[in-house]
Structure formats: structure tokens, C-alpha cells
Amino acid sequence: MEIEVLEGVFDANEIIAKENRSLLDGSGSFMVNLMASPGAGKTSVIMKTLEGVAGALNCAVIEGDIAGKVDSEKIAATGVPAIQINTGGSCHLEAKQVNRALNRLKLEGVDLVIVENVGNLVCPAEFKLGEDLKVMILSVAEGHDKPLKYPLMFSESDVLLVNKIDLIPHTDFEMETLEQTVLRMNPGVVIFKISCRTGEGVSDWTDWLKHRVKAGA
Amino acid sequence: MEIEVLEGVFDANEIIAKENRSLLDGSGSFMVNLMASPGAGKTSVIMKTLEGVAGALNCAVIEGDIAGKVDSEKIAATGVPAIQINTGGSCHLEAKQVNRALNRLKLEGVDLVIVENVGNLVCPAEFKLGEDLKVMILSVAEGHDKPLKYPLMFSESDVLLVNKIDLIPHTDFEMETLEQTVLRMNPGVVIFKISCRTGEGVSDWTDWLKHRVKAGA
């Protein structure tokens, strides 16, 4: 008889992440794990993304926050199904929380599930949720030096959205330095430069995502 | 015989935080625990604070980062003793890491130790380091809605520095809403509005700190 040994919290999480994967595969749904610092613009990116893919993709949103439900209410007001997870202090989402949310959503007919992770540039990168795509946002206001300080998040992400590019003239942000640093750490990463405030660059991202979801699902 | 039961990681941390307290009391040093999201301006605030208290206070800096030593090199270049702690993945500083750093610093004659915590608005608030003062920074670019989403950090902090106020005209930031929300959660908090970029408001903060250190030490 084979005995399964769980190597602590990460292995246990990975098993449930695989369950999530099966759930999503069963309904042909694509899942994005959206990660960023507090205030980088996660909810704005979700709102703009929902707008950009409307008509092409049926969406649902899972909102992760330590407390509150401001974001899920904002999203539900647009008519897109939204489920709020409150982690009650924990600084990242785990696969089991997303599992509960996926089981409550009606996944049938849903093309794209966007999970907004807790605002944190560290721990969320360590916990797989069963996603198809890890997307991170860096706000221009955070500075171009962040990849060296938070290397795991920048190395693990499939997509980097550089948000708030409308602020560039008012900061010391060096886009070229950022891109060089990130591509050195993670040569496969796809970078989009956007401003949710002005709308600049957003359709490049949402067009890319539409193609990716249709190819991947 | 009394048997001490440690209730897990927080109690163990608290015991070492008390050791840190004794070390600091022994040398009459005051310690600030500086916390904020990635990119809110922790290192810039430290540089401006060192400038503002120069001549009045002898300082030392303990830099906490997941990886790298960019910040401690920047500070050491100003002639202020700086020690780098690399947490190697962990998203917050613990008292034991600060204990090692305090033991390596020559505390005798040091009036003010500034600890730069890991960029994270969640976990650092849960771990006491033995500090006199918890100071948090919120950058204007992060938005005025953050207190509701990261309530522990805003409730635990003695001082809130609202940084990057030069960006206010280019954002939807509502200072009054922020202040009302924070003061409802934490009526004793002292708020300073600053811009490390333009220098606006910085001397209000550093003057206050000078008085506080002299009163507290």
C-alpha cells in the first residue's frame, strides 16, 4: 500500500489546486490569478478587462480581500457574477478558498474566471490556485526597481501589466530599466503598458487575453 | 516549578521583542518600525528623515528585504550605519532577525534606529519587533480606500505618513475621506502629509520625530 506524505502546506495546497484545474477543465473555463501590491489597480484592471472582453467572453470574478466587500459589490453592479472571499487576516489566497468559490459559481458557460488575489507582492506568488495564467500588475508609482526586491512574483508571472502609465511624467519611473530587469529574470513574460484611468493600452491587453482564452479553453 | 507554554509563533516572537526592548532601553535608543506597501516610498522616507534629524540625532538603519541590498547601500553611502536583513522569501520581519541586527550594531550613542520592514501592508503589522513607534506610509497612488481593506495595519500604526502628495492633482485621491476613515479606526493616530520628491511637509514629520525621540529616550 502506498502512503502519501504531505510535505506541509504547499503540497496540500497543490492537491486542491489540481482539483480546481479539473473543475475548470470540466466546464472549459480559463482562470486568471491576478496579483499586485495594494493600490496597484487590481479592481480597476478587472473592471476594464470585463468591459474589453464583453460580448466575446462570459466572465465571473472571485474577489480575495482580508476584509470588506467593496470590490465584489462594484463588480456585481456591472452584472458579472462575483464571489467575495474574506481571508480574515491571511495575506494570500489558497487553493481551498478558491475551490469553495468555484463550487458556488455556476461554471457551465463561463469562459473566463478572474481571481483577484490579496494585495501583496510576496506570498500570493507561492500558492498555486489551479490557474491558467498568472498576471501581475505593477503601478508606475511603485517604481521600476521592484523586480529586484520581489523577485519571485516577477519571475512567476506570465503577464506583467504596467499600470498608471499616465503618471510617468510626474515620477522618476524608467520603463526601459524595468523591462530589461524583468525580461532578464523572466524571458517569457508578456508585458503590457496600460492606464486604467485614460484607457491607454488596455485594448492591447484585452485583445491578447481574448485570443489566449479562446486558444486555451 | 512553572512551565511556560508558548502559544505558537506570535508568543515566541513577543519574547524576543521584549529582549530587543531591553537592548534599546540599555543604550537609550528609540526604535521606529517603518511599514508600507512595495513602492510607497519607505527608503525615500528614511533618506529624508535622516537628513531632517541630522545634527540632532545619531541614527542607524536596519533594512529588511526579501532579497537584495540596494537600499542598505544607498543609506550606508550617506555615512549612517546600515545593516541589511534578507528574509529569503518571508513577507515580514520577525523580532529575532532584528535582534541579530541590533546585536551587530553598536547601539551605544545611537538615538534612533529606523527599521525598514518588508514591503507588505498585511503581515508586518502582526509581528512586534520591540519598537517604540509603528510608522506606516500610504502612497497617494495607492488610493484612499486602503484602510478598509488592510484594517490591521491602519489600526496598529502610531503614525501615518501620506506620501507622494505631489501626485494628488493627477489622481482621484480624496484626502478628507482617507483621514475620516483612518481616524474612525484609530483615533490616536498622528497623520503627516508629505512628498519626498518635492520635500513638502517632511520637516513637520521630522520635527515631530525629534521631539518624540527626545521625550521617549
Side-chain angles (χ1 to χ4, degrees):
Chain A
M1 203 175 79
E2 217 174 286
I3 296 173
E4 193 178 24
V5 180
L6 290 186
E7 303 276 4
V9 63
F10 289 108
D11 273 11
N13 185 71
E14 205 145 320
I15 287 169
I16 307 175
K18 280 183 190 153
E19 273 179 35
N20 293 351
R21 198 55 261 155
S22 306
L23 276 173
L24 294 159
D25 286 342
S27 60
S29 312
F30 188 97
M31 190 162 84
V32 165
N33 178 5
L34 185 64
M35 300 174 284
S37 293
K42 289 184 294 303
T43 310
S44 306
V45 163
I46 291 178
M47 301 288 278
K48 286 285 176 190
T49 304
L50 294 176
E51 249 177 74
V53 303
L57 302 175
N58 280 325
C59 299
V61 173
I62 298 173
E63 277 291 331
D65 279 299
I66 290 178
K69 50 177 185 170
V70 206
D71 292 342
S72 54
E73 285 171 349
K74 230 185 267 178
I75 284 153
T78 70
V80 170
I83 287 187
Q84 180 77 49
I85 299 173
N86 280 340
T87 66
S90 173
C91 60
H92 60 273
L93 286 179
E94 293 182 21
K96 64 174 179 231
Q97 295 163 318
V98 173
N99 187 268
R100 250 175 264 138
L102 288 175
N103 278 312
R104 273 176 51 206
L105 279 171
K106 289 190 197 334
L107 279 181
E108 215 52 56
V110 170
D111 305 304
L112 174 64
V113 179
I114 305 179
V115 180
E116 179 175 338
N117 218 310
V118 179
N120 182 344
L121 223 46
V122 188
C123 310
E126 293 176 29
F127 290 84
K128 291 185 190 168
L129 306 179
E131 69 275 60
D132 293 88
L133 207 63
K134 286 188 158 96
V135 179
M136 74 164 292
I137 310 171
L138 177 78
S139 144
V140 156
E142 293 175 68
H144 55 258
D145 60 339
K146 291 302 159 288
L148 296 174
K149 293 187 169 183
Y150 304 92
L152 188 65
M153 182 67 78
F154 285 86
S155 309
E156 287 276 316
S157 294
D158 304 298
V159 175
L160 165 62
L161 302 176
V162 186
N163 191 21
K164 310 196 187 181
I165 53 170
D166 55 299
L167 291 180
I168 290 178
H170 315 293
T171 65
D172 309 314
F173 191 83
E174 296 168 16
M175 185 66 84
E176 211 177 318
T177 309
L178 175 81
E179 289 185 280
Q180 284 168 356
T181 315
V182 175
L183 288 169
R184 227 177 3 248
M185 300 166 70
N186 184 357
V189 71
V190 185
I191 303 177
F192 295 96
K193 303 162 196 174
I194 66 171
S195 164
C196 289
R197 195 148 187 261
T198 67
E200 197 184 337
V202 173
S203 63
D204 294 336
W205 148 243
T206 53
D207 287 346
W208 182 91
L209 181 64
K210 272 187 264 183
H211 288 296
R212 190 72 167 74
V213 172
K214 285 183 179 165
Chain B
M1 203 177 78
E2 215 174 288
I3 295 173
E4 193 177 24
V5 180
L6 290 185
E7 302 277 5
V9 62
F10 290 108
D11 273 12
N13 185 71
E14 205 145 320
I15 287 169
I16 305 175
K18 279 181 191 154
E19 273 179 34
N20 293 350
R21 197 57 261 152
S22 308
L23 276 173
L24 293 159
D25 288 343
S27 60
S29 312
F30 188 97
M31 189 164 82
V32 165
N33 177 6
L34 185 63
M35 299 174 285
S37 293
K42 290 184 295 300
T43 310
S44 307
V45 163
I46 291 178
M47 302 288 279
K48 286 285 174 190
T49 303
L50 294 176
E51 247 179 75
V53 304
L57 303 175
N58 280 326
C59 300
V61 173
I62 298 173
E63 278 290 331
D65 277 300
I66 291 179
K69 50 178 186 170
V70 206
D71 293 344
S72 55
E73 285 172 350
K74 231 185 266 179
I75 284 153
T78 71
V80 170
I83 287 188
Q84 180 78 47
I85 299 172
N86 279 341
T87 66
S90 173
C91 59
H92 60 273
L93 286 179
E94 294 183 22
K96 65 173 179 235
Q97 295 163 320
V98 173
N99 187 270
R100 249 174 268 140
L102 287 174
N103 278 314
R104 273 176 50 205
L105 278 171
K106 289 191 199 329
L107 279 180
E108 216 52 56
V110 171
D111 304 303
L112 174 62
V113 180
I114 306 180
V115 180
E116 179 175 338
N117 218 309
V118 179
N120 181 346
L121 223 46
V122 187
C123 310
E126 295 175 29
F127 290 83
K128 290 185 191 168
L129 306 180
E131 68 275 61
D132 294 88
L133 207 62
K134 284 186 158 94
V135 179
M136 75 165 290
I137 311 170
L138 177 77
S139 145
V140 157
E142 293 176 67
H144 55 259
D145 60 340
K146 291 302 159 287
L148 298 173
K149 294 187 168 183
Y150 304 92
L152 187 66
M153 181 68 77
F154 284 87
S155 310
E156 288 275 316
S157 292
D158 304 299
V159 175
L160 166 61
L161 303 176
V162 186
N163 191 22
K164 308 195 189 185
I165 54 170
D166 55 299
L167 290 180
I168 291 180
H170 314 293
T171 65
D172 311 313
F173 191 83
E174 295 168 16
M175 185 66 85
E176 212 177 315
T177 309
L178 175 81
E179 289 187 279
Q180 284 169 357
T181 315
V182 175
L183 288 168
R184 225 173 11 242
M185 300 166 70
N186 184 357
V189 71
V190 184
I191 303 176
F192 295 97
K193 303 162 197 175
I194 66 171
S195 164
C196 288
R197 197 152 187 257
T198 66
E200 198 185 337
V202 173
S203 65
D204 294 336
W205 149 244
T206 53
D207 287 347
W208 182 91
L209 182 64
K210 272 187 263 183
H211 289 296
R212 190 71 169 71
V213 170
K214 285 181 179 166

